[in-house]
Amino acid sequence: MPDFDTSVPHIARVYDYWLGGKDNFAADRELGKRTLQAYPNLVFSVRANRAFLTRTVRFLAAQAGIRQFLDIGTGIPANNNTHQVAQRVAPGSRIVYVDNDPIVLSHARALLTSKPEGACAYIDADLRDPDKILASAADTLDFTRPVAVMLVAVMHFISDDAEASAIVNRLTDACAPGSFVTISHAASDIDAEQQTEMVRRLNQSVAEKATLRDRVGVTRLFDGLELVEPGVVRVAEWRPDSQLEAASPTGLWGGVARKP
Ligand SMILES: C[S@@+](CC[C@H](N)C(=O)[O-])C[C@H]1O[C@@H](n2cnc3c(N)ncnc32)[C@H](O)[C@@H]1O
């Protein structure tokens, strides 16, 4: 039996429910349904976010030559986890996963299936403590060489704007020039009314409160970095593989930027 309280919904398990996963409990499903009623496109939105994760990792590995990834706010393993996408392009890729949820920790084994040429590690830590993350990640990643910091659907759990920017800055300051940051973030200016109600329902029940930001606020998180084309866009429109993919409803902004 799990040694955590399954009667309280956790965002990682609710997200797993939205994605159609099986690693969730009745309380997570109940909240999952209530939030879906508020924002029926949420199912498409989170799938588009997951596809954004896949396309950005593929871009970073195949086109930007990145071989090291720091994936913070990993979530319960789903399809196309970062190491699988990166190691399909370059088997020697090294990946460090970070999450603060005990249920994600309990699934870490499924994330540690590196190809022998590369490496995977898992750190049980909070995004609000970037120094701890950087110190532990240095066991696996060489910060004198470029790293891609993946902050996919996690920055909206840092409500204070100054703290959110400080976290991104601390992480990028530790990375070599030529490193990248990927961010996706729930939007206050897409499907505004429905998303606001969805987040209100979510925040009534989960410990990690979510905060919506608008496109300008999400873009500000990349200050000091060079956004790669097409900039901060709806995640479905970030270098989509098809017009169908680009047209998917989604309530998240996303972008990738390079440290000069
Ligand atoms: C919505 S899921 C996103 C999962 C994955 N990155 C994706 O986009 O498919 C957010 C994850 O961030 C984690 N998380 C939330 N706040 C966090 C924090 N302060 N520190 C570390 N992880 C956090 C949650 O536990 C959850 O697993």
Side-chain angles (χ1 to χ4, degrees), residues 68-190:
Q68 308 191 94
F69 293 82
L70 178 56
D71 180 337
I72 307 177
T74 303
I76 292 168
N79 64 326
N80 283 328
N81 302 298
T82 296
H83 74 284
Q84 290 156 334
V85 180
Q87 292 187 343
R88 270 204 293 274
V89 177
S93 299
R94 303 174 76 80
I95 291 87
V96 173
Y97 290 111
V98 183
D99 206 289
N100 68 346
D101 191 320
I103 187 140
V104 180
L105 174 65
S106 78
H107 286 277
R109 210 176 329 132
L111 293 166
L112 301 178
T113 54
S114 175
K115 295 210 165 154
E117 303 93 318
C120 286
Y122 183 90
I123 304 172
D124 179 25
D126 197 299
L127 174 61
R128 293 180 190 84
D129 192 356
D131 288 333
K132 175 180 173 182
I133 292 173
L134 290 165
S136 299
D139 291 343
T140 307
L141 307 179
D142 174 0
F143 282 95
T144 67
R145 302 174 64 84
V147 173
V149 180
M150 307 298 294
L151 297 165
V152 181
V154 70
M155 288 309 300
H156 42 237
F157 297 111
I158 308 295
S159 58
D160 184 78
D161 288 343
E163 185 182 14
S165 288
I167 289 169
V168 178
N169 289 342
R170 176 70 192 100
L171 291 167
T172 47
D173 282 352
C175 293
S179 293
F180 285 83
V181 177
T182 301
I183 296 174
S184 71
H185 194 299
S188 62
D189 47 352
I190 306 173

Side-chain angles (χ1 to χ4, degrees), residues 53-76:
L53 172 66
T54 300
R55 294 196 308 280
T56 53
V57 173
R58 201 178 57 205
F59 162 81
L60 290 161
Q63 284 171 261
I66 293 291
R67 297 292 176 262
Q68 308 191 94
F69 293 82
L70 178 56
D71 180 337
I72 307 177
T74 303
I76 292 168

Side-chain angles (χ1 to χ4, degrees), residues 35-56:
T35 44
L36 275 172
Q37 281 160 4
Y39 183 31
N41 275 343
L42 190 51
V43 162
F44 299 108
S45 184
V46 293
R47 278 168 176 66
N49 178 63
R50 201 67 205 173
F52 169 80
L53 172 66
T54 300
R55 294 196 308 280
T56 53

